[in-house]
Amino acid sequence: NGLLVVSPGLDFGSRDSFAVFLTAGCPDSGLSLLKDDVKFFKQIQQVYDSIWLPHDDTAGHVLRGTLRHIRTRMASIAPGASVPGTVLGFSGPRPQLVFRDGSTRDLYQVRTLGSGPVFDASGDPVTVSQSNLLLDPTKGTPGRPNPVGSNFLTRDSVVIGDPHIHTMDGGQYTLLREGSFLLWRFGLPQPHVEWQIFAHYAGRQSFTKGLLLVDTSGSEPSSMEITSEHCEWQTQSSSKKWSPVNSEAPEVLLSNPSSRMKLVGNQRKDVKKIQLFIADEKDPVATLKVMCRQGHHINLKLHMENQKWASFVSGELKGQKGQKQMPTGKTSMLQLVTSEDKDFEVKKTWAQLGGSSHAQQYLQNLDEHPNKLMFSQMCNPQAQADARALCQKHLGTVGHSSYLEECVYDVCVGGGEVSAEMAAEM
């Protein structure tokens, strides 16, 4: 229940990616994990955990593929064996400390001991309220419990898959309705800032198919949207013309006297981050991370940068007091906590909300699918077992069991391996 110290220090160059494995046995020197995998796996006996550190975003994608390959090979050599592990999101210079939360088991990265900043496993920044997250693990920490989630000021809110919604207050549930919903709203009276994020859930299993950001802070509203049709961001300002966002470098997308939205450069086309700023403040109010796979669906994560803004937030992602949480552990998929979120459903059309007519037509076409079938009608025990094996291949067995169970659900109802890949990367 303490921090593991690796000594002597690992000597890697700045352009090297690497992984650290915690295993039951130690392999002979000179064995290759990829070339001598049969002998290697027999000697290590069991993998308890692994942490993978990429040197850039592209390397992270390669490491995820390598981890999937290792899991597949391990399962064929030793049926029933698993290879837990997490590929950390690239957050800049290599972190000096990586640790698991003492209660939730979430992974966090500390770039510089004693000063931070701190990032989550996805590489997104995390606001901390206590400096014990920055302690030097080489100085007397054996036996000291890992830091716990109470040290964090904010939780990330997530919409993933069918959709499964994880709220700021820790709630978790699966939405059972199609249509457009108010996902998140931020309203500040002075200076006047008004942001709204709408999501459209559509198709037979109601995956997220459209996302719309509307800024009504200025005299003329402005919007930006993305759909799973082409997975390309579009913006509309006072000219009322929609324009594609092609830049991969940091770019101010929407701007008003009291607010602005900025695209944070990313090497990957399917993952973008958008930061929302008030007036001339240096730090953003929130960072929205969006992953879109063309022809499939959209996953997203919203991170509030400071607790002081929480009281100005409403919508699905804020959560509801007393909302039930999904049980942890080996949960039957028929026990998922569900909701219809009628309070957040909006009856206006996509175009009336501020979206484009083209996106509205695309979403309407998806809405014409028949109502979703019950989980029990689509996923027999063997189908569930196959889906679980596929999700464990991508997610491993370490981390929130809720994400694993949600992945099983999504794969089983027709999301396929793509939904497992996207869940792992988000």
Side-chain angles (χ1 to χ4, degrees):
N1 196 25
L3 299 176
L4 175 69
V5 178
V6 179
S7 180
L10 302 175
D11 185 17
F12 293 103
S14 61
R15 299 293 297 174
D16 290 328
S17 298
F18 65 91
V20 178
F21 283 75
L22 183 62
T23 62
C26 189
D28 293 338
S29 177
L31 281 184
S32 168
L33 177 59
L34 299 180
K35 295 179 181 179
D36 310 308
D37 53 5
V38 175
K39 189 174 183 180
F40 190 97
F41 289 138
K42 288 183 177 179
Q43 291 187 4
I44 64 175
Q45 303 171 43
Q46 181 181 353
V47 178
Y48 298 116
D49 199 2
S50 62
I51 297 174
W52 301 63
L53 279 83
H55 69 271
D56 59 25
D57 279 327
T58 302
H61 184 71
V62 174
L63 292 184
R64 281 184 285 271
T66 303
L67 179 56
R68 288 194 295 269
H69 170 75
I70 291 173
R71 285 171 173 162
T72 301
R73 287 293 296 153
M74 184 73 163
S76 66
I77 295 169
S82 63
V83 183
T86 303
V87 179
L88 296 178
F90 178 69
S91 61
R94 180 170 297 143
Q96 293 184 352
L97 169 66
V98 175
F99 70 92
R100 287 196 183 280
D101 183 291
S103 59
T104 67
R105 301 278 295 160
D106 290 337
L107 277 170
Y108 293 97
Q109 314 174 52
V110 182
R111 181 176 296 170
T112 304
L113 293 171
S115 61
V118 180
F119 301 86
D120 63 14
S122 299
D124 296 324
V126 174
T127 303
V128 297
S129 60
Q130 295 185 22
S131 60
N132 65 341
L133 296 186
L134 309 175
L135 291 174
D136 185 344
T138 65
K139 296 180 179 179
T141 59
R144 177 183 298 166
N146 286 5
V148 297
S150 60
N151 296 312
F152 297 96
L153 286 173
T154 58
R155 289 178 182 264
D156 288 341
S157 45
V158 177
V159 178
I160 195 167
D162 187 19
H164 312 288
I165 298 176
H166 297 243
T167 63
M168 291 170 57
D169 63 0
Q172 301 170 22
Y173 62 95
T174 296
L175 185 66
L176 295 180
R177 294 172 64 86
E178 296 180 348
S180 296
F181 290 78
L182 177 61
L183 189 64
W184 183 82
R185 175 186 176 273
F186 181 85
L188 185 69
Q190 188 64 35
H192 175 65
V193 177
E194 180 80 19
W195 296 319
Q196 295 179 92
I197 302 178
F198 297 97
H200 192 89
Y201 311 122
R204 187 180 67 184
Q205 293 305 322
S206 297
F207 285 78
T208 307
K209 298 292 187 176
L211 203 62
L212 174 65
L213 284 71
V214 180
D215 187 348
T216 57
S217 305
S219 57
E220 292 287 341
S222 53
S223 308
M224 58 187 301
E225 69 176 11
I226 187 171
T227 70
S228 57
E229 181 180 21
H230 300 298
C231 288
E232 296 177 349
W233 282 101
Q234 303 275 335
T235 61
Q236 176 191 243
S237 58
S238 57
S239 66
K240 301 302 180 182
K241 293 183 179 180
W242 287 92
S243 304
V245 177
N246 297 318
S247 174
E248 296 184 8
E251 176 185 356
V252 175
L253 301 175
L254 302 177
S255 181
N256 287 297
S258 59
S259 66
R260 68 186 188 281
M261 297 185 186
K262 182 179 179 181
L263 175 69
V264 181
N266 193 305
Q267 294 177 344
R268 293 180 54 183
K269 292 183 178 180
D270 61 337
V271 180
K272 295 296 181 186
K273 293 181 181 179
I274 297 171
Q275 294 181 326
L276 291 81
F277 292 85
I278 294 176
D280 296 323
E281 288 206 11
K282 178 181 178 182
D283 297 323
V285 171
T287 299
L288 177 67
K289 178 181 179 180
V290 178
M291 172 181 290
C292 184
R293 195 67 60 88
Q294 186 174 357
H296 293 276
H297 64 278
I298 298 169
N299 287 341
L300 64 94
K301 177 189 293 184
L302 188 136
H303 174 72
M304 295 291 295
E305 301 291 344
N306 196 306
Q307 181 69 18
K308 69 179 182 180
W309 303 120
S311 61
F312 302 101
V313 171
S314 58
E316 284 183 307
L317 293 185
K318 182 178 178 62
Q320 300 173 9
K321 186 177 181 180
Q323 184 179 35
K324 293 187 298 182
Q325 296 189 26
M326 178 179 174
T328 56
K330 296 183 178 179
T331 306
S332 166
M333 287 309 303
L334 300 180
Q335 296 176 2
L336 275 171
V337 173
T338 59
S339 173
E340 294 191 349
D341 273 5
K342 293 182 178 180
D343 292 343
F344 302 115
E345 185 177 14
V346 291
K347 297 300 184 180
K348 292 182 178 180
T349 67
W350 193 254
Q352 289 172 338
L353 292 174
S356 69
S357 57
H358 178 86
Q360 175 172 298
Q361 185 61 55
Y362 168 70
L363 297 174
Q364 284 179 344
N365 292 339
L366 293 175
D367 288 338
E368 294 174 1
H369 282 258
N371 291 332
K372 64 173 72 176
L373 298 174
M374 294 296 292
F375 178 85
S376 57
Q377 294 177 290
M378 301 188 66
C379 295
N380 57 41
Q382 184 58 51
Q384 290 188 48
D386 293 342
R388 184 173 299 278
L390 185 62
C391 288
Q392 288 177 336
K393 168 186 171 183
H394 290 277
L395 292 171
T397 58
V398 176
H400 284 306
S401 63
S402 61
Y403 286 112
L404 179 63
E405 298 301 328
E406 290 163 359
C407 174
V408 173
Y409 179 91
D410 292 341
V411 170
C412 209
V413 297
E417 188 165 8
V418 170
S419 61
E421 293 174 351
M422 292 179 67
E425 294 191 37
M426 180 57 70

